[in-house]
Amino acid sequence: MRLFDVILFVLIFVTFIIGIDQAIVVGIAESYWIFMFSLALLFLYGYRKGQRQSREKEELKKASKKHKKKKRKHG
């Protein structure tokens, strides 16, 4: 996991906790924007995670194909 992803995950957690605190203190209607911001960050995190996983999968496929080609030449 990259540093930005760790920071993003911590920020999601912190904004959600702040939203809960503000919902208790001033009400859910006044703290709604904090929850939406936390949710937007969560979507961003999920998107980045999916992109990273698909990139790793493609790299693994390429490495596998190269290994098979080398094996055929020597085999």
Side-chain angles (χ1 to χ4, degrees):
M1 195 181 294
R2 296 219 161 134
L3 179 64
F4 182 77
D5 292 333
V6 172
I7 292 170
L8 188 61
F9 187 75
V10 169
L11 193 58
I12 293 166
F13 183 74
V14 168
T15 55
F16 188 73
I17 296 299
I18 291 171
I20 291 172
D21 177 61
Q22 289 300 304
I24 292 170
V25 173
V26 295
I28 193 82
E30 297 294 323
S31 61
Y32 179 77
W33 68 272
I34 299 172
F35 288 112
M36 290 301 105
F37 184 69
S38 179
L39 188 63
L41 291 176
L42 183 64
F43 287 149
L44 177 63
Y45 177 78
Y47 175 75
R48 287 180 53 88
K49 185 177 178 182
Q51 290 292 325
R52 185 177 63 246
Q53 286 177 345
S54 66
R55 209 175 324 121
E56 289 172 357
K57 191 182 247 186
E58 287 296 320
E59 289 173 2
L60 188 62
K61 277 185 180 179
K62 288 179 183 177
S64 174
K65 286 181 181 179
K66 284 182 181 179
H67 182 68
K68 286 181 181 179
K69 285 182 181 179
K70 284 183 181 179
K71 204 172 189 180
R72 287 182 190 167
K73 287 181 181 179
H74 295 292

